[in-house]
Amino acid sequence: MHITNIVAKCTTTPLDLDDAFVCLTCDGYNVSKPSKFPAVFLRLEHETCALFKTGTVTINGIKSVRDITNVYTELWDAFSSTGRRFSGPSIVNIVASFRTDNKVNLEVVSQRHKDICSYTPELSNSAEISLEKSCKVLLHSSGNGVITGAKSVDVLNDCWFHVVNIVYWY
């Protein structure tokens, strides 16, 4: 299993998007402010921060929990001249992909796990498995898939454990 994206969120006091855009541009940051979307986008090395006028900041493109701290520190530094403070970041969603060596009979999986599995072969060649703690798994017959909805690495690992048990038996 490998984490492909972590979405995190932090908050601050309401922002004037025009002021934020000018402040970040003057400091040499890579920013954009689309005319039809109410946010300022701050592009870092691999991550993108979307700053909204409510003061909510979403951070996308993070690959590890450790990187959240690095991005948060950079965001803090970007606004240091304004005296603005941000709440600590929290994980909103973790997306991970996995590859197994086992082919999976999705028909059998969906029959044996009716309570958590949805499979409609006419619409898709994959099954959707709803696990505890809002995790969802998209499982392909090849044994490959995607896990989404985890709010921590521990929850992601629990979901992965369930996936391995399902794939192992079918």
Side-chain angles (χ1 to χ4, degrees), residues 41-78:
F41 293 95
L42 169 61
R43 295 191 191 343
L44 303 171
E45 187 175 345
H46 300 288
E47 304 83 14
T48 300
C49 300
L51 296 92
F52 297 92
K53 67 180 181 179
T54 60
T56 299
V57 180
T58 59
I59 308 164
N60 196 355
I62 304 166
K63 301 294 184 195
S64 72
V65 174
R66 183 179 12 166
D67 290 344
I68 293 172
T69 306
N70 297 339
V71 172
Y72 181 71
T73 301
E74 191 154 350
L75 185 64
W76 189 283
D77 290 345

Side-chain angles (χ1 to χ4, degrees), residues 1-150:
M1 177 186 59
H2 135 163
I3 293 175
T4 56
N5 187 32
I6 298 175
V7 178
K9 173 179 118 173
C10 61
T11 57
T12 186
T13 55
L15 287 163
D16 179 314
L17 295 180
D18 292 327
D19 287 350
F21 179 76
V22 170
C23 173
L24 292 169
T25 302
C26 288
D27 287 344
Y29 286 95
N30 180 1
V31 292
S32 62
K33 185 176 178 277
S35 60
K36 296 187 180 191
F37 193 78
V40 170
F41 293 95
L42 169 61
R43 295 191 191 343
L44 303 171
E45 187 175 345
H46 300 288
E47 304 83 14
T48 300
C49 300
L51 296 92
F52 297 92
K53 67 180 181 179
T54 60
T56 299
V57 180
T58 59
I59 308 164
N60 196 355
I62 304 166
K63 301 294 184 195
S64 72
V65 174
R66 183 179 12 166
D67 290 344
I68 293 172
T69 306
N70 297 339
V71 172
Y72 181 71
T73 301
E74 191 154 350
L75 185 64
W76 189 283
D77 290 345
F79 283 92
S80 62
S81 64
T82 66
R84 185 172 295 279
R85 300 289 180 244
F86 294 87
S87 68
S90 60
I91 295 174
V92 176
N93 185 26
I94 300 176
V95 179
S97 61
F98 61 87
R99 171 173 262 148
T100 68
D101 295 331
N102 302 331
K103 299 263 186 216
V104 179
N105 184 333
L106 297 177
E107 195 71 43
V108 173
V109 170
S110 66
Q111 289 173 358
R112 297 230 174 117
H113 298 281
K114 289 178 187 169
D115 53 331
I116 62 170
C117 185
S118 170
Y119 175 56
T120 312
E122 309 83 48
L123 299 177
S124 173
N125 64 348
S126 56
E128 182 180 301
I129 302 170
S130 298
L131 299 173
E132 302 173 10
K133 303 175 184 169
S134 73
C135 279
K136 297 238 187 242
V137 177
L138 191 62
L139 178 63
H140 301 280
S141 59
S142 65
N144 300 338
V146 177
I147 302 172
T148 187

